[in-house]
Amino acid sequence: MIKKKEKNPLILFGIFTLMIVFALLIAKYSEFKEQNARNKNINLIFKTNVAKDLPWNFSLKKSNINSKIGQVYRIEFNVENEGQMQSSGKAAYEIRPNFFKEYFVEMDCFCYKKQTLLPGEKSNYSVTFYIDDRILKNSKVKDINDVNILYTFLKVSDL
């Protein structure tokens, strides 16, 4: 039979062991949760638009990308000047939800400079990007499945 004085150290040891097991379980759960967040895919939906005063046809080769956070992607656009004169444009883009723009990192984009096309000329432009893994620290990311990205060509003076 175990005496009362001998029970106290056993109880303390048992409590200590349970606390260690509990701490390890919490650490494992946190690691599992972070790993699942890293594997989260976000559906990027790309759209194109052209200002009315610019006679261009602007389209995408692929409009949806089921993207992984941190992976680099490249998306290609087709552009054609359907007008009778040389014209120039510069693209701007808009992202919804708005906070996502902070995490959408363009490594290279045709939208950084003016593009000029001759009448009937066709060209291909691209955007190389990734989603910054800092997004994992944003609590809003768990509610996101789709992100809309709209590129609009605006007319720029040729002079």
Side-chain angles (χ1 to χ4, degrees):
M1 182 185 287
I2 300 176
K3 295 181 182 178
K4 188 173 184 179
K5 285 184 181 180
E6 293 173 357
K7 277 187 181 179
N8 288 341
L10 286 174
I11 291 172
L12 289 175
F13 178 74
I15 291 171
F16 178 72
T17 303
L18 284 173
M19 288 174 57
I20 289 174
V21 169
F22 188 66
L24 290 172
L25 287 173
I26 289 173
K28 272 294 188 197
Y29 177 73
S30 295
E31 183 181 308
F32 172 76
K33 192 173 172 184
E34 183 177 319
Q35 185 65 31
N36 279 350
R38 285 197 177 283
N39 290 334
K40 178 178 176 63
N41 289 356
I42 297 176
N43 188 36
L44 302 178
I45 304 165
F46 291 89
K47 297 178 183 176
T48 59
N49 191 20
V50 180
K52 290 183 182 189
D53 59 347
L54 188 61
W56 289 9
N57 183 4
F58 181 36
S59 62
L60 287 144
K61 291 185 177 184
K62 183 178 180 183
S63 61
N64 284 36
I65 294 180
N66 194 7
S67 64
K68 291 185 189 240
I69 295 169
Q71 186 171 333
V72 176
Y73 294 92
R74 182 176 176 189
I75 188 161
E76 300 208 8
F77 298 83
N78 300 311
V79 183
E80 180 180 4
N81 181 353
E82 296 177 335
Q84 301 300 314
M85 300 176 62
Q86 173 179 304
S87 54
S88 298
K90 186 172 182 183
Y93 68 96
E94 181 180 351
I95 297 178
R96 294 285 180 241
N98 198 34
F99 82 89
F100 192 84
K101 190 170 187 172
E102 178 181 345
Y103 306 105
F104 183 77
V105 181
E106 293 175 318
M107 299 164 58
D108 184 40
C109 183
F110 67 92
C111 58
Y112 297 148
K113 57 187 178 235
K114 176 172 99 169
Q115 307 295 336
T116 301
L117 296 174
L118 298 171
E121 183 179 6
K122 295 179 183 180
S123 190
N124 296 315
Y125 301 131
S126 66
V127 175
T128 304
F129 67 92
Y130 67 93
I131 301 170
D132 193 324
D133 62 359
R134 290 181 304 120
I135 197 168
L136 297 172
K137 295 177 183 160
N138 189 325
S139 62
K140 294 178 186 176
V141 74
K142 70 180 183 321
D143 299 329
I144 292 181
N145 291 319
D146 295 333
V147 173
N148 292 293
I149 304 171
L150 172 65
Y151 284 88
T152 302
F153 257 113
L154 305 169
K155 186 171 183 170
V156 176
S157 172
D158 285 325
L159 300 175

